[in-house]
Amino acid sequence: MARKIHTLGGYIHEYQRSILDPEAFWTQVADTFYWQKKWDKIVEWDFETPNINWFVNAKLNITENIFERFLYTKRNKPAIIWEPNDPNEPSITLTYWELYEKTCQFANALKANGVEKGDRVIIYMPMVPEAAIAMLACARIGAIHSVVFAGFSATSLADRINDCSAKMVLTSDGNFRGSKTIPVKKVVDEALENSSSIEKVIVLERTLTPVTMKPGRDIWWHEAIDGISSDNVAETMDSEDMLFILYTSGSTGKPKGVVHTCGGYMIYTYYTFKNVFQYSDDDIYWCTADIGWITGHSYIVYGPLLDGATTLMFEGIPTHPHPGRFWEIVDKYKVNQFYTAPTAIRALEAYGIDPVLPYKLDSLKVLGTVGEPINEEAWHWYHDHIGKGKCPIVDTWWQTETGSILISPLAGITPTKPAYATLPLPGVQPIIVDNDGKELKGNSVEGNLCIKFPWPSMLRTLYGDHDRCRQTYFSSFKGLYFTGDGVKRDEDGYYRILGRVDDVINVSGHRMGTAEVENAINEHPKVIESAVVGYPHPIKGQGIYAFAICDMSDRSEANLKNEIRVTVTNIIGPIAKPDLIQIVPGLPKTRSGKIMRRILRKIASGDSDNFGDTSTLLDPDVVDKIIADTDSAS
Ligand code: PRX
């Protein structure tokens, strides 16, 4: 298959070509796909509006490029290998042919239950093959899927259902997660008390957790497909029709529905998967993400399947039933490419190397990381103990909004450097600007990371709020897409991501808006006001530190903190629970009432000096009071 880069010289050549003649470059990549109708023009764009169209007027269906395209060459090749939460339960392998049949059958079941092209379908499911089948079946019939991470609460789920007026929810009776069973259908029932658009719920039987099935609304998955044919002709989609919506956090309270479209997303997830991981035809590739996040969309489902790869899906968690589980799975399936998050590496590193020792890990060729900056110590542990010093680590930088990896080494082809995402992929034109938007040229510079030219898998809009899309990403620096990340370009021209420069924190690789967590904390009746910041956490990368002004008249401090955590869990989910809460007498605010988070961030990271200019503070004494009491944070 075309366009795999094999050498450093090849990378340099392809990169140059992608910048100098994007039309020719993308034509060559896209020509290897099956289009029902080819494009009139490769790209039309304007970052002011913003208005971005790739493969203009082309017609396609992404699933035809996974299934029909491979049916002669890959029919019996494993597409998905599924490893269950419980190592004693049998695993499942679906070949390309089997996955095709199941996708088409479920696509027909969706249609039979009233789903039409353009309808929104929520997927709130465990990591089982049916979750991938659900995504592909939606894509097959042109329904827009929106996967919601199954750890989100009923309130968060309802918000997302309502935001996109979804017609259907796909879920399960329960989810296995380590030693726990989570009753997810119950969460759906609760969410649906506050949503009116849902007409049907299809429920997969997974844990045999008792559930209440609402007549007329709820159907079992096995009944929905019973007797349903697997003959299905793929819907014709315009290149710019929506493929999916994925909600992510921003610096304001309300989650944003990032919209990705069919043609461009298909091309760039494929291209980046192939080149970053250097996948070869007989390899077994494993990404440990959850399909509730963009990594699961692009690098468990779409990217690998578009490349005809074998992708492993794991239902469980890294430490169940023992902290060597990841390595056991690597040996069991002879995994060649392994892609995970720095937080998982640090969590496993904390167990020492004993859990690693029983495993050979000799099948591994490539290691990857994603989601947050990886510290050098974790990088070396991963490199030495898992990769045995012989596997390149691809530190892949990207975002929900970018759809695919933008800055990363190509495994074994371009150089790596601990803690650096290194170089942009072909088609990606990064630019660093200072806070006034002035370009910082040359090497050894640090500033805001922007991108100056479109790439095929970039977001097109935020669902139902195009102006918010413009404001969030395209208005900070004129004519540029602003990532929200700080970056350094070192003396060799390599990029190192320094973390968010906005009010977004990254906890265990999960993106969280501080405002979103504050809104949840403020729902507790005894909380008067709160401010949330991130602080360095040895495993999670960043932990959540909440400063809260509370009415303490009838609660002990410990009880109140527990109640606040329960409130946040109920409103968002356990991932947003503050690690530390400090009850404070006031918050550092400017005269105009804005909380000076810069000061709270310093305090939370244990730094009580050099607060810079505090002359605009309404009550400078409050800072000293907060510092004097940081030991009470718990
Ligand atoms: O701050 C960057 C960080 O994660 C943010 C994007 O989060 P999300 O949309 O949830 O997507 C995560 C998976 C792609 C970015 O703005 N980030 C992601 N990858 C890296 C990273 N920070 C440093 N190094 C990375 N490799």
Side-chain angles (χ1 to χ4, degrees):
M1 215 179 281
R3 311 297 357 135
K4 186 168 176 189
I5 297 170
H6 296 284
T7 60
L8 181 56
Y11 161 75
I12 295 167
H13 178 258
E14 287 291 271
Y15 187 78
Q16 288 300 334
R17 228 167 55 87
S18 76
I19 306 304
L20 297 175
D21 192 353
E23 299 263 332
F25 176 82
W26 291 113
T27 299
Q28 207 172 21
V29 178
D31 264 345
T32 63
F33 282 78
Y34 172 63
W35 301 85
Q36 294 175 9
K37 173 187 170 296
K38 284 216 173 169
W39 50 91
D40 296 333
K41 198 172 172 200
I42 286 285
V43 59
E44 253 172 19
W45 65 289
D46 157 25
F47 275 180
E48 299 287 319
T49 328
N51 179 25
I52 299 134
N53 298 307
W54 277 90
F55 308 106
V56 181
N57 294 331
K59 306 287 176 209
L60 75 149
N61 187 293
I62 196 167
T63 69
E64 280 188 324
N65 283 282
I66 291 173
F67 297 123
E68 278 86 343
R69 194 163 58 123
F70 293 137
L71 282 186
Y72 294 106
T73 50
K74 313 237 181 207
R75 187 185 170 99
N76 297 318
K77 177 174 174 172
I80 294 179
I81 298 177
W82 175 71
E83 168 73 8
N85 179 61
D86 175 356
N88 298 316
E89 190 184 332
S91 66
I92 291 176
T93 298
L94 296 176
T95 62
Y96 271 84
W97 176 257
E98 289 164 335
L99 184 61
Y100 173 52
E101 291 231 302
K102 285 181 184 291
T103 298
C104 288
Q105 185 186 45
F106 196 63
N108 288 335
L110 289 176
K111 277 186 163 178
N113 282 287
V115 181
E116 292 171 11
K117 180 176 177 178
D119 285 342
R120 276 78 57 212
V121 173
I122 298 282
I123 301 176
Y124 187 72
M125 290 184 68
M127 285 289 291
V128 290
E130 286 81 356
I133 291 166
M135 292 164 75
L136 295 168
C138 287
R140 185 85 183 168
I141 63 171
I144 300 160
H145 60 72
S146 185
V147 186
V148 177
F149 174 59
F152 276 120
S153 68
T155 312
S156 295
L157 177 59
D159 286 349
R160 286 155 175 77
I161 292 171
N162 294 338
D163 189 76
C164 68
S165 310
K167 196 170 194 179
M168 182 182 274
V169 178
L170 307 176
T171 190
S172 60
D173 50 356
N175 290 4
F176 290 126
R177 244 188 105 65
S179 54
K180 293 189 203 142
T181 304
I182 298 155
V184 280
K185 170 65 166 59
K186 226 172 107 213
V187 182
V188 171
D189 291 340
E190 222 179 296
L192 294 191
E193 283 168 22
N194 296 310
S195 317
S196 56
S197 59
I198 296 296
E199 293 172 11
K200 291 265 166 74
V201 179
I202 300 186
V203 187
L204 181 76
E205 193 174 77
R206 173 66 191 123
T207 56
L208 303 180
T209 305
V211 296
T212 316
M213 298 292 278
K214 187 170 168 185
R217 187 194 72 182
D218 301 351
I219 323 151
W220 287 106
W221 186 294
H222 54 269
E223 287 171 7
I225 58 172
D226 189 31
I228 296 280
S229 141
S230 53
D231 287 339
N232 178 284
V233 177
E235 186 68 49
T236 297
M237 304 297 286
D238 187 88
S239 177
E240 285 299 336
D241 279 342
M242 282 187 208
L243 176 63
F244 66 84
I245 305 168
L246 185 58
Y247 285 88
T248 188
S249 296
S251 44
T252 60
K254 192 172 167 275
K256 307 178 283 196
V258 171
V259 169
H260 284 289
T261 58
C262 297
Y265 180 82
M266 170 173 85
I267 297 298
Y268 212 44
T269 51
Y270 154 82
Y271 182 83
T272 52
F273 171 77
K274 186 166 200 68
N275 282 298
V276 169
F277 297 102
Q278 289 290 304
Y279 183 84
S280 301
D281 209 24
D282 293 324
D283 288 345
I284 309 285
Y285 160 88
W286 180 20
C287 166
T288 69
D290 189 285
I291 51 146
W293 312 115
I294 190 71
T295 310
H297 284 60
S298 304
Y299 298 107
I300 293 179
V301 180
Y302 288 111
L305 295 178
L306 285 162
D307 196 21
T310 300
T311 176
L312 198 148
M313 242 179 128
F314 173 43
E315 184 183 31
I317 59 170
T319 48
H320 178 80
H322 57 80
R325 184 77 194 274
F326 270 4
W327 322 128
E328 184 179 86
I329 298 173
V330 168
D331 273 10
K332 179 172 174 187
Y333 298 101
K334 306 216 173 321
V335 169
N336 303 108
Q337 289 90 3
F338 176 73
Y339 188 31
T340 196
T343 188
I345 299 166
R346 288 190 297 263
L348 294 173
E349 184 187 352
Y351 287 91
I353 60 160
D354 284 353
V356 185
L357 292 178
Y359 305 103
K360 294 222 279 281
L361 304 178
D362 56 351
S363 55
L364 287 172
K365 298 196 282 194
V366 175
L367 299 177
T369 72
V370 58
E372 54 181 314
I374 179 163
N375 48 311
E376 288 198 33
E377 198 201 328
W379 194 98
H380 285 293
W381 188 85
Y382 195 34
H383 185 257
D384 298 349
H385 297 295
I386 307 305
K388 313 287 184 201
K390 65 177 178 54
C391 301
I393 296 180
V394 290
D395 178 348
T396 63
W397 173 83
W398 57 297
Q399 310 177 295
T400 304
E401 294 85 344
T402 70
S404 309
I405 299 167
L406 296 197
I407 304 181
S408 168
L410 307 183
I413 307 289
T414 62
T416 61
K417 193 169 194 173
Y420 280 74
T422 71
L423 299 171
L425 299 192
V428 177
Q429 301 192 34
I431 167 171
I432 305 182
V433 297
D434 67 13
N435 288 342
D436 299 321
K438 192 166 112 328
E439 178 173 2
L440 302 173
K441 294 192 174 143
N443 291 340
S444 305
V445 290
E446 209 176 291
N448 301 298
L449 176 59
C450 297
I451 317 282
K452 65 178 175 193
F453 192 84
W455 63 99
S457 65
M458 69 186 298
L459 88 162
R460 302 300 197 264
T461 188
L462 293 177
Y463 191 81
D465 200 347
H466 194 63
D467 197 53
R468 188 172 175 207
C469 173
R470 184 189 60 76
Q471 272 183 26
T472 313
Y473 306 105
F474 298 93
S475 71
S476 306
F477 305 109
K478 196 172 159 50
L480 302 175
Y481 166 81
F482 176 42
T483 64
D485 279 328
V487 72
K488 163 179 160 177
R489 187 164 53 219
D490 76 357
E491 59 287 1
D492 300 319
Y494 289 3
Y495 291 86
R496 177 178 191 158
I497 308 299
L498 301 172
R500 303 289 304 194
V501 295
D502 52 10
D503 287 331
V504 168
I505 48 182
N506 193 327
V507 183
S508 300
H510 299 148
R511 212 164 127 175
M512 211 93 61
T514 50
E516 213 179 324
V517 184
E518 285 162 9
N519 290 349
I521 293 175
N522 296 348
E523 287 291 311
H524 190 286
K526 295 286 168 182
V527 174
I528 296 157
E529 196 177 3
S530 66
V532 162
V533 294
Y535 73 100
H537 186 286
I539 306 270
K540 297 177 171 188
Q542 280 191 301
I544 301 179
Y545 196 128
F547 298 87
I549 307 172
C550 299
D551 167 3
M552 298 291 294
S553 52
D554 60 357
R555 297 280 204 288
S556 74
E557 190 167 318
N559 283 346
L560 183 58
K561 287 179 177 174
N562 279 341
E563 289 176 22
I564 291 174
R565 290 194 169 97
V566 171
T567 306
V568 175
T569 303
N570 288 340
I571 293 177
I572 306 178
I575 52 173
K577 215 163 49 175
D579 297 278
L580 292 174
I581 302 176
Q582 182 177 343
I583 312 284
V584 292
L587 291 167
K589 285 192 180 172
T590 61
R591 281 171 224 282
S592 59
K594 201 169 168 310
I595 296 171
M596 285 183 90
R597 285 162 203 286
R598 174 173 66 75
I599 292 180
L600 294 176
R601 273 196 289 270
K602 281 195 137 220
I603 298 175
S605 62
D607 180 355
S608 49
D609 300 318
N610 305 321
F611 286 118
D613 181 12
T614 53
S615 61
T616 54
L617 277 183
L618 189 62
D619 173 14
D621 288 350
V622 85
V623 175
D624 296 330
K625 289 185 192 144
I626 295 175
I627 294 171
D629 200 30
T630 46
D631 284 349
S632 72
S634 60

